[in-house]
DNA sequence: CACTTCAATAC
RNA sequence: UUUGUAUUGAAGUG
């Protein structure tokens, strides 16, 4: 279908986007996308969306900052963007390396501000098309979805009364995912997902092929989508969407599923010899739950080939693991997942059905606590400067709350006790105290010293 | 009550 | 020192 593109207000744009989503969900494809992308309202909202991004003042290769475009006359800016997009030649991205948590370096590609604006214009229109066709159990980079939903999904799958629970996990790790995406295959998938506008595909292709500048030398980008590009997360999800549904069709979304009653369906599938398989994905991190080691091994062998030939991606030999969660824990998104009998309760003194449980990954918690502790020690060197002390404490509070909120959805009492203990030990000699909220969940919070309460 | 802006954290 | 999403906190407008 043709996308309406004569909208004149932001609310009208929102309605059109809602409509695109529901049409796309019905399997429709779209053309005339470029006109909607270059509508004045789209351009203005794109700038509005990204103007206060953290990197708005960090320029790309051309040295221009966001201010320049914010100060520019509106009509001039719009015609500038339209002119640029016509026969689009995006600037190469600026290379910058940042440290990852594991010590390795991550190559960022920083597009010029104008290219970022254009990417956001595209994202606004394309996102609802893709979003409607995405696999429901893909959680990374998607609106209204977070890691806790992915974890919850896994534990409920294990817990939902099975004859033979899917307690064997294939933990998948894709080597250098963003940087390995095959341009040709990605463009095919964009078409397949419903983007039937050749001009849009040409623009995206130009973005992918923009190249990068490092030490005044221009390098080609023959694979990958730049980490730092506004549409990159969306493209990354589109690239793995076929994989998601391929695994999904093996069991959860199989065409053999007929009954609305899950239990009868399950029995029938079992009688047909179909073994449960559930994929949960978060960006490049994925896990498949199945019932036996044998089936997991068989599937993994197939998936390695699938990734290599169908996606031109490689699975990490060391980090792609098969785990029997009744014996060992699987790691996913900073959590440890276990399949075990539930705790004994008066109502259920002899539990027999296995349930899925998630715990914080204590190794990660410990390294986070070490980081926080070293910052906490800085307070000693502030002397009597209470303003400086308050700043440090505010900052540490933010970190403790951030960590607590993240691990809260799992079984976290042991982790909280650990954090509590570690921080308290440091606080005692510093004569600070630890506040604790009164709710049912214990969580840690370094309180401001009483004489600093007013700041 | 609903909406906006600005910090920070996690992946 | 980028991008995306989620979360928490603060401030403001009607």
């Amino acid at each position: 279908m043709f996308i309406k593109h004569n909208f004149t207000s932001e609310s009208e744009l929102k309605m059109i986007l809602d409509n695109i989503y529901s049409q796309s969900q019905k399997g429709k494809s779209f053309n005339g996308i470029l006109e909607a992308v270059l509508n004045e309202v789209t351009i203005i909202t794109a700038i509005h969306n990204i103007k206060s991004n953290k990197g708005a003042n960090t320029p790309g290769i051309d040295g221009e900052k966001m201010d320049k475009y914010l100060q520019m006359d509106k009509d001039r800016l719009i015609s500038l963007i339209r002119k640029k997009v016509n026969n689009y030649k995006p600037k190469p991205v600026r290379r910058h390396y940042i440290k990852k948590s594991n010590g390795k370096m991550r190559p960022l590609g920083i597009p010029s501000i104008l290219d970022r604006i254009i990417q956001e214009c595209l994202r606004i229109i394309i996102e609802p098309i893709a979003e409607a066709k995405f696999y429901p159990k893909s959680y990374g980079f998607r609106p209204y979805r977070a890691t806790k939903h992915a974890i919850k999904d896994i534990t409920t799958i294990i817990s939902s009364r099975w004859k033979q629970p899917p307690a064997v996990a294939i933990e998948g790790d894709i080597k250098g995912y963003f940087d390995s995406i095959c341009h040709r295959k990605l463009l095919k998938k964009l078409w397949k997902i419903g983007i039937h506008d050749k001009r849009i595909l040409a623009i995206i292709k130009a973005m992918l092929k923009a190249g990068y500048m490092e030490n005044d030398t221009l390098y080609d980008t023959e694979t990958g989508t730049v980490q730092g590009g506004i549409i990159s997360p969306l493209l990354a999800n589109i690239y793995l969407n076929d994989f998601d549904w391929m695994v999904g069709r093996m069991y959860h979304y199989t065409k053999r599923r007929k009954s609305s009653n899950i239990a009868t369906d399950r029995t029938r599938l079992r009688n047909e010899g179909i073994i449960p398989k559930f994929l949960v994905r978060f960006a490049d991190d994925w896990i498949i739950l199945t019932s036996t080691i044998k089936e997991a091994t068989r599937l993994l062998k197939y998936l390695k080939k699938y990734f290599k030939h169908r996606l031109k991606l490689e699975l990490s030999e060391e980090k792609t693991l098969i785990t029997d969660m009744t014996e060992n824990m699987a790691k996913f998104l900073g959590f440890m997942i276990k399949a075990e009998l539930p705790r004994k309760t008066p109502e259920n003194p002899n539990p027999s059905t296995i349930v899925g449980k998630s715990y914080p990954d204590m190794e990660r918690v410990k390294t986070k606590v070490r980081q926080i502790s070293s910052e906490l020690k800085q307070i000693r060197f502030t002397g009597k400067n209470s303003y400086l002390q308050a700043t440090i404490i505010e900052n540490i509070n933010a970190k403790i709350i951030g960590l607590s909120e993240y691990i809260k959805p799992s079984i976290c009492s042991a982790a909280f006790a650990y954090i509590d203990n570690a921080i308290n030990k440091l606080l005692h000699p510093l004569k600070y105290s630890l506040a604790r909220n009164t709710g049912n969940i214990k969580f840690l919070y370094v309180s401001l010293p009483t004489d600093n309460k007013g700041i």
Side-chain angles (χ1 to χ4, degrees):
Chain A
M1 64 174 274
F2 260 88
I3 293 178
K4 211 171 150 235
H5 60 264
N6 57 350
F7 46 97
T8 53
S9 72
E10 212 171 317
S11 56
E12 228 179 314
L13 170 61
K14 284 218 176 81
M15 278 168 55
I16 286 165
L17 294 179
D18 284 348
N19 189 250
I20 290 174
Y21 182 89
S22 53
Q23 292 302 316
S24 179
Q25 215 167 25
K26 290 176 194 157
K28 293 257 167 59
S29 300
F30 300 86
N31 36 34
I33 302 174
L34 187 62
E35 282 74 15
V37 168
L38 293 179
N39 179 294
E40 177 175 327
V41 179
T42 313
I43 295 172
I44 298 296
T45 33
I47 292 170
H48 175 87
N49 287 352
I50 66 170
K51 70 162 192 285
S52 45
N53 277 3
K54 241 189 353 207
N57 284 319
T58 58
I61 201 78
D62 57 2
E64 306 287 8
K65 295 177 184 172
M66 184 57 81
D67 304 8
K68 178 182 163 176
Y69 302 103
L70 290 174
Q71 284 156 14
M72 201 182 272
D73 175 68
K74 197 181 81 178
D75 294 331
R76 257 192 67 203
L77 176 58
I78 286 162
S79 60
L80 171 69
I81 286 170
R82 286 181 181 160
K83 223 171 89 188
K84 282 271 176 193
V85 170
N86 184 27
N87 208 327
Y88 186 43
K89 286 269 177 295
K91 295 237 164 39
V93 295
R94 191 160 57 83
R95 229 332 157 252
H96 184 83
Y97 291 91
I98 55 163
K99 265 206 184 66
K100 287 205 287 184
S101 51
N102 64 13
K104 285 186 183 169
M105 298 304 259
R106 161 179 284 136
L108 292 182
I110 302 163
S112 76
I113 298 285
L114 200 64
D115 290 329
R116 271 186 252 172
I117 294 171
I118 293 166
Q119 286 193 23
E120 175 63 9
C121 291
L122 269 179
R123 215 220 68 214
I124 289 172
I125 307 295
I126 284 173
E127 193 181 59
I129 300 177
E131 217 18 78
K133 280 165 182 141
F134 279 160
Y135 185 65
K137 285 163 193 318
S138 157
Y139 290 96
F141 311 127
R142 294 188 56 193
Y144 313 116
R145 284 150 196 262
T147 46
K148 63 174 176 189
H149 302 120
I151 298 294
K152 178 82 173 100
D153 222 337
I154 293 171
T155 52
T156 50
I157 289 166
I158 299 170
S159 304
S160 78
R161 282 189 251 186
W162 296 87
K163 268 248 167 65
Q164 192 180 22
V168 174
I170 308 173
E171 299 161 67
D173 183 277
I174 304 167
K175 267 190 196 167
Y177 176 49
F178 269 64
D179 298 322
S180 312
I181 288 172
C182 168
H183 293 170
R184 189 174 48 82
K185 289 188 183 294
L186 173 60
L187 291 164
K188 270 192 182 166
K189 287 173 195 292
L190 284 162
W191 181 269
K192 198 177 155 195
I193 216 161
I195 297 161
H196 285 199
D197 186 330
K198 294 240 169 74
R199 299 164 300 170
I200 294 290
L201 296 180
I203 290 167
I204 293 174
K205 187 176 178 180
M207 287 170 173
L208 295 169
K209 304 276 183 202
Y212 63 94
M213 281 290 250
E214 191 174 357
N215 303 326
D216 296 324
T217 317
L218 178 65
Y219 296 90
D220 279 350
T221 41
E222 69 282 1
T223 63
T225 176
V226 286
Q227 306 189 53
I230 289 183
I231 43 163
S232 292
L234 183 64
L235 297 181
N237 272 335
I238 291 171
Y239 197 71
L240 286 182
N241 193 44
D242 290 333
F243 161 68
D244 295 342
W245 286 106
M246 186 272 292
V247 179
R249 276 196 304 273
M250 289 178 181
Y251 186 85
H252 195 166
Y253 296 97
T254 176
K255 289 193 179 125
R256 290 162 178 275
R257 192 172 286 278
K258 292 185 193 106
S259 170
S260 56
N261 183 329
I262 294 165
T264 43
D265 242 353
R266 231 185 243 167
T267 313
R268 205 191 60 248
L269 289 170
R270 194 177 62 236
N271 291 341
E272 290 178 19
I274 297 168
I275 299 169
K277 287 168 197 77
F278 294 94
L279 168 70
V280 176
R281 186 168 68 81
F282 193 100
D284 56 340
D285 231 338
W286 55 265
I287 189 165
I288 293 172
L289 306 178
T290 188
S291 303
T292 63
I293 298 265
K294 195 181 158 197
E295 185 68 2
T297 315
R298 206 173 64 87
L299 178 57
L300 180 55
K301 203 174 153 191
Y302 171 75
L303 289 179
K304 274 183 187 161
K305 279 190 206 146
Y306 181 91
F307 269 87
K308 192 174 174 188
H309 298 115
R310 305 290 291 274
L311 295 172
K312 303 280 174 210
L313 294 172
E314 210 183 322
L315 293 177
S316 158
E317 202 67 51
E318 321 87 79
K319 288 202 248 168
T320 300
L321 307 165
I322 291 173
T323 310
D324 180 349
M325 290 181 290
T326 57
E327 287 169 12
N328 297 301
M329 297 202 249
K331 281 191 193 185
F332 193 55
L333 309 172
F335 293 95
M336 314 281 282
I337 305 178
K338 222 194 232 182
E340 58 185 15
L341 295 173
R343 278 204 334 215
K344 288 182 185 172
T345 57
E347 297 81 48
N348 188 4
N350 285 310
S352 59
T353 38
I354 273 178
V355 298
K357 294 183 181 181
S358 64
Y359 299 85
D361 183 338
M362 282 311 285
E363 290 307 309
R364 288 203 195 194
V365 171
K366 281 177 187 170
T367 50
K368 278 278 149 357
V369 167
R370 267 198 293 277
Q371 284 169 22
I372 293 170
S373 302
S374 65
E375 281 177 56
L376 199 48
K377 284 174 192 154
Q378 298 300 312
I379 288 186
R380 261 185 259 185
F381 308 113
T382 58
K384 285 233 177 337
N385 186 340
S386 59
Y387 179 76
L388 201 62
Q389 288 185 355
T391 316
I392 293 174
I393 290 169
E394 287 285 339
N395 186 266
I396 288 169
N397 279 345
K399 284 189 176 153
I400 295 175
I401 293 169
L403 180 61
S404 311
E405 288 296 329
Y406 184 69
I407 65 181
K408 215 160 79 172
S410 69
I411 301 167
C412 57
S413 50
F416 277 3
Y418 175 83
I419 302 169
D420 194 27
N421 191 287
I423 304 286
N424 241 331
K425 250 190 225 164
L426 279 167
L427 286 174
H428 186 67
L430 294 168
K431 298 202 172 106
Y432 287 88
S433 61
L434 201 61
R436 197 184 271 283
N437 76 350
T438 51
N440 52 352
I441 299 157
K442 289 192 284 182
F443 90 91
L444 307 158
Y445 191 59
V446 184
S447 71
L448 286 165
T450 43
D451 59 320
N452 273 349
K453 275 275 155 67
I455 297 176

